[in-house]
Amino acid sequence: MSGDLLVVGSVAIDAVETPFGREDEALGGSALYFTAAASLFAPVRLVAVIGEDFPTERVAFLAERGADLSGLVRAPGKTFRWKGRYGFDLNEAHTLETHLNVFEGFSPELAPAHRACPYVFLANIDPDLQQRVLDQVEDPRFVALDTMNFWIEGKRRSLLEAVARVDMVVLNEAEARMLAEEPNLVRAAQKILSWGPKGVVVKRGEYGAMYFADGHVFAAPAFPLEEVFDPTGAGDTFAGGMMGYLASTGNLEPDNIRRAIVFGSAMASFNVEDFSFRRLERLTYDEVASRYRQFKTLTQFEAEVG
């Protein structure tokens, strides 16, 4: 059963520098990247907080795609700001400055339409807030959660409680090992599964993604690109493509989750082709479908054994 998709996370204004350029006053944040990707597949309802300095006209393209931005609440003060730099290893961001601003007091209160969403994505926010959202949603069909090393180190107990309440955990390779306290990625994923979720998706940057579930292991490559400008938000874009596809199809069987992961990888590959939301803003579903088919060609081979 398909349905609306709720995302609760951050909205930010970024300053990003990579070996290929620099962008100041760039729009960012986990919830925005997620919505930009997911809105190509399904109706998305976004819940986040912004400051008085946030240029809402620059996200009008999301509303044009049908995204519900009524949960994007403006509060007195400045928007969450992040400044970072990437070296030639684009898998690792070096944080230079973080200013939480209005995000520091973020405490989501869901409207009735948000509470009723059958698909929920808890983006990378305080696990106490993730649990606050879980307390408010009404019998969701599928819930996924993202996190990061800051919460793993600082709020481990609350994070483990949240993990036990969701269907899927989405995190990167280093975070999976840190959360499970296990250096082997396969054993780390199995340990996280033992805590309650039905699936674990490990984002591996330029090396693709892996999906672990009971009796299932799936690996998808990253799409080979000649030009990569800015990897900021690639993980959230991946999650948006994956969750958007699942919400649009309503099919939660393992084979369809595999397809969703490939769609997520396709979305992430577009995101890194330009700074901020420039590529996602002009992206069409036909382009995404074409790249999805290219993924199939990329990974197809004959299974004969001599």
Side-chain angles (χ1 to χ4, degrees), residues 14 29-30 33-34 86 230-239 268 271-272 280:
D14 296 339
S30 59
Y33 277 107
F34 181 96
Y86 294 88
D230 177 17
T232 307
D236 301 304
T237 304
F238 167 88
N271 176 74
V272 303
L280 296 179

Side-chain angles (χ1 to χ4, degrees), residues 166-213:
V166 302
D167 300 289
M168 177 181 284
V169 176
V170 182
L171 69 181
N172 70 31
E173 195 168 351
E175 292 158 355
R177 292 188 171 103
M178 181 185 297
L179 179 61
E181 298 178 325
E182 170 56 64
N184 181 278
L185 184 59
V186 176
R187 287 199 294 265
Q190 294 299 329
K191 187 173 182 179
I192 296 170
L193 286 171
S194 73
W195 296 335
K198 300 180 182 69
V200 174
V201 174
V202 180
K203 301 173 291 184
R204 306 181 67 222
E206 63 179 319
Y207 305 111
M210 295 189 72
Y211 165 58
F212 298 88

